[in-house]
Amino acid sequence: MDEWKKILGQSMADGPSLEKKLGAAPPGLGRVISAYPMRINPYYFGLIDLENWKTDPIARQCLPDIREISLKGGEKDPLGEERRKPVPSVIHKYRRVALLTVSNVCAVYCRFCMRKRRVGMGEGGVSPHDIDLGLDYIKKKPEIREVILSGGDPLLLDDEQIDRILSRLKKISHVEIIRIGSRTPATLPQRITPDLCAILRRFHPIFFSAHFNHPAELTPESREACARIADAGIPIGNQTVLLKGVNDDPGVMARLFFGLLKQRVRPYYLFQADCVKGIEHLRTRVETGVEIMARLTRELSGLAIPRYVADSPGGHGKLPLSPQCLVRADEKEAEMVDLNGKPVIYPQPGAEQP
């Protein structure tokens, strides 16, 4: 059995196993897990400072929190993805780009997940038939020029399944670009094997979207994983989510983005956390991100600075967030202008929580 599968098979998914590891149980653990599943593999759990787990930025990303079910605010599907699914496995929001969801599981179930409503849920699984329907849909839509493999995490599929999907996409003449979005370089870098990279390099032009949120995720193992992807000739961009108590600090962000460059990963997007139900305690105010970006421009070169954006409510596209775009902000909402100069209202997180 591959090493990554062994690690994944040892993941914690229930309250007693987590309590045994921590020596204590987070409040309401069982109730939270019953609403939103937990999976923490041993590699990622090993990045937590166990003496300070209650405030640790890695723990904050993966340990269930009672506020996921006790705080109000947010929506199950704030980006309107379910309305843009012509078939179960395709989200077709932009005319020339389609997102093909090929998996419903991840190496770690992040508590801030934008698809918290589906990922890890048994009824939201992706079957081979669903994937076939998605590939057939893409084949019938000549306007689609770029396909993003997503999930869940597409790299939780076996090599053979990934090869089959990529091979079928490559045979579609109008699909010119393939992107893979995966958090495994940060949460399960052992998945990035030489065999996997040998498969991926056969399908150029192919791009890789990684997801690192904190410098503690930049380990020797993640460095090796990124090196394998880059050595296969695959450009790597990173998408970071701005999270309260994790990376809402200019110094933390500077270490993360410069550290990514040293791993041959280009910081691409810094996302304002979406207005997802169950993550209100992790969302920051828009002004926080604007200030962080202002600080970063004084400390880092342009190569290390991502674009700070938000997905607009309802899923109508990405909003660039900058002092120039921010019109006003108060306790309830921030008013911004989109690329066409039209006003957009973005909800602020609720009252400060301990």
Side-chain angles (χ1 to χ4, degrees):
M1 181 184 291
D2 293 329
E3 181 186 7
W4 69 272
K5 291 183 178 179
K6 293 179 181 177
I7 296 172
L8 196 62
Q10 298 168 357
S11 298
M12 290 180 289
D14 59 78
S17 61
L18 179 59
E19 185 175 1
K20 183 178 179 180
K21 289 283 188 179
L22 292 177
L29 178 60
R31 291 163 52 204
V32 180
I33 293 176
S34 66
Y36 302 114
M38 176 184 75
R39 173 186 270 178
I40 313 172
N41 70 64
Y43 166 79
Y44 198 69
F45 186 83
L47 304 184
I48 298 174
D49 177 1
L50 292 180
E51 292 186 1
N52 301 288
W53 64 266
K54 292 182 179 181
T55 57
D56 180 80
I58 301 298
R60 195 163 171 81
Q61 294 183 72
C62 65
L63 297 187
D65 190 305
I66 189 64
R67 289 173 288 187
E68 294 177 49
I69 59 175
S70 64
L71 292 182
K72 298 180 180 179
E75 303 176 31
K76 288 185 176 181
D77 182 21
L79 304 186
E81 291 185 333
E82 299 298 328
R83 301 195 305 270
R84 295 174 170 86
K85 296 178 73 172
V87 295
S89 61
V90 171
I91 300 170
H92 196 180
K93 182 165 66 172
Y94 302 106
R95 182 171 181 269
R96 296 185 180 275
V97 182
L99 190 145
L100 180 62
T101 57
V102 298
S103 168
N104 191 48
V105 293
C106 296
V108 171
Y109 292 152
C110 298
R111 311 319 298 179
F112 56 87
C113 182
M114 63 177 290
R115 298 195 181 110
K116 202 176 177 79
R117 68 190 183 277
R118 296 182 60 86
V119 172
M121 304 287 192
E123 66 273 15
V126 183
S127 69
H129 179 63
D130 290 335
I131 296 173
D132 288 341
L133 288 176
L135 291 166
D136 290 340
Y137 172 84
I138 292 168
K139 186 176 181 178
K140 295 174 183 176
K141 296 290 182 179
E143 67 270 23
I144 296 175
R145 300 176 62 183
E146 183 174 348
V147 174
I148 304 170
L149 295 189
S150 185
D153 197 309
L155 296 191
L156 267 286
L157 297 180
D158 288 334
D159 287 358
E160 295 76 13
Q161 294 172 290
I162 295 170
D163 195 348
R164 173 182 171 272
I165 293 168
L166 292 175
S167 295
R168 289 190 59 183
L169 281 174
K170 197 66 174 179
K171 291 177 182 177
I172 301 174
S173 59
H174 55 268
V175 174
E176 300 175 308
I177 301 290
I178 298 172
R179 269 195 276 166
I180 295 177
S182 174
R183 187 144 154 75
T184 56
T187 59
L188 186 64
Q190 296 82 0
R191 175 62 185 103
I192 310 299
T193 63
D195 287 346
L196 173 64
C197 291
I199 291 171
L200 299 182
R201 73 185 306 158
R202 294 182 11 236
F203 298 97
H204 286 301
I206 192 167
F207 295 80
F208 198 102
S209 294
H211 181 170
F212 290 86
N213 284 333
H214 193 274
E217 296 170 343
L218 304 178
T219 65
E221 292 87 351
S222 74
R223 187 178 306 116
E224 181 179 355
C226 293
R228 285 177 174 166
I229 298 169
D231 287 345
I234 302 170
I236 312 172
N238 186 72
Q239 302 183 97
T240 292
V241 179
L242 180 60
L243 298 168
K244 185 177 179 180
V246 174
N247 54 21
D248 55 338
D249 176 88
V252 171
M253 284 295 195
R255 296 199 307 275
L256 172 63
F257 295 149
F258 191 72
L260 284 168
L261 280 186
K262 292 195 293 182
Q263 292 193 178
R264 292 190 279 173
V265 178
R266 172 74 162 86
Y268 181 52
Y269 277 137
L270 171 62
F271 276 104
Q272 177 73 10
D274 294 319
C275 305
V276 180
K277 183 178 178 61
I279 75 163
E280 195 72 2
H281 59 295
L282 293 171
R283 293 181 59 225
T284 67
R285 294 174 60 83
V286 171
E287 305 96 297
T288 300
V290 170
E291 175 58 27
I292 288 173
M293 292 301 296
R295 289 275 300 275
L296 291 178
T297 58
R298 299 194 292 267
E299 297 183 22
L300 299 175
S301 70
L303 193 62
I305 298 177
R307 294 177 63 198
Y308 178 37
V309 298
D311 275 310
S312 59
H316 300 293
K318 292 180 175 60
L319 296 168
L321 299 178
S322 68
Q324 292 75 29
C325 297
L326 183 61
V327 176
R328 65 173 179 84
D330 56 32
E331 292 298 315
K332 293 184 177 181
E333 61 188 25
E335 181 180 350
M336 297 167 282
V337 293
D338 64 15
L339 294 175
N340 297 314
K342 296 181 179 179
V344 177
I345 303 300
Y346 196 85
Q348 297 274 38
E352 294 291 313
Q353 299 295 322

